[in-house]
Amino acid sequence: VLIGQTAAVGSSILQVTGDVTISNASNALLTLSAGSSDTCRIDYLENGVTKVALRNSVGAGAFDDFGIFAGSATPIWNNDNLRIAIKGATGNVGIGTAAPTGYRLVVENTAEDLLKLYNSTDGLDSLISFSNPGGTLARIQGIDNGGLAFDTGNNAGGINSNAMFINNAGNVGIGTASPTGLLTLQRPSSGASTDIDFLNEVGVGPKARIRFGGTVEELAFFTGTTTLTERMRITEAGTIQMTDENGGVPILQVRNF
């Protein structure tokens, strides 16, 4: 059947040139049917050459899948031309692969560049959000002036913004979006402390701790096996104090006069 053309191109049963409108009161407007071992395909041609094809088969015998093919390899449904695959059994989507196994979306490429997020509004960040029915779990933001921010959900419907931040100079901030050195730690509030804990090789601990802040802005060092005990402290004035094994009265004090 030829519509809008006088001569057939190839051997397709229905060939259409021009615009076509299909209208029906029911949901099914166009049905393609093939035998049990055949495929259904819609081809888009340019000057008699197939440029894009939609096909209900991706790989041998996978007749419940759906593929979008575009490229120069022949035939058009050669897997070298496969651009997007939707697996019928799982609903998994593959871009650049016929086998998106184990994940809802698999992007494959032979080059390093796999995925790009582009915000067309200058001055805005590009953001990836992770969520479930309980709310936002985490976010990753590409910062407008360069940098990367990691946010975490606070388990109460809100966001802990900039839980970790990497600025455009490569400096890392934890608790701050303005790191002043290669690594900057900022305590959450006045009177709070910032701890760095050290665990052993199997994750047991902490076995040691460095603490800044608390009721006074000093640096304290702790060690222990089951319970950590303060061993040394550097005060704001530069005094170094070393305590006894029970963390009590200083046994050594060095002052800077």
Side-chain angles (χ1 to χ4, degrees), residues 185-188 192-196 209-214 219:
L185 309 180
Q186 179 173 310
R187 62 184 182 183
S193 61
T194 299
D195 293 350
I196 301 176
R209 173 177 294 158
I210 300 175
R211 170 176 292 172
F212 170 75
L219 201 60

Side-chain angles (χ1 to χ4, degrees), residues 105-185:
L105 175 64
V106 177
V107 180
E108 184 176 308
N109 196 6
T110 55
E112 293 180 348
D113 297 329
L114 290 179
L115 183 64
K116 178 180 180 178
L117 302 181
Y118 178 76
N119 191 329
S120 59
T121 302
D122 189 23
L124 295 182
D125 301 337
S126 293
L127 183 147
I128 303 173
S129 182
F130 304 87
S131 63
N132 66 13
T136 301
L137 304 176
R139 299 186 309 192
I140 302 176
Q141 299 182 67
I143 305 303
D144 171 56
N145 63 352
L148 203 59
F150 299 84
D151 306 333
T152 59
N154 64 5
N155 201 33
I159 287 291
N160 299 314
S161 296
N162 301 320
M164 186 171 74
F165 188 93
I166 306 174
N167 68 11
N168 54 19
N171 294 337
V172 178
I174 298 179
T176 176
S178 302
T180 55
L182 287 178
L183 176 62
T184 300
L185 309 180

Side-chain angles (χ1 to χ4, degrees), residues 19-85:
D19 297 332
V20 176
T21 299
I22 302 176
S23 179
N24 196 335
S26 65
N27 292 327
L29 298 182
L30 177 64
T31 300
L32 303 180
S33 179
S36 60
S37 299
D38 297 320
T39 62
C40 292
R41 195 175 83 244
I42 299 176
D43 290 351
Y44 298 83
L45 283 70
E46 179 182 304
N47 297 324
V49 179
T50 302
K51 296 296 184 179
V52 178
L54 310 181
R55 192 182 193 219
N56 75 316
S57 176
V58 178
F63 299 111
D64 59 345
D65 297 341
F66 180 79
I68 299 177
F69 298 79
S72 58
T74 55
I76 186 65
W77 56 87
N78 187 302
N79 270 355
D80 289 340
N81 295 331
L82 180 64
R83 300 300 178 244
I84 299 176

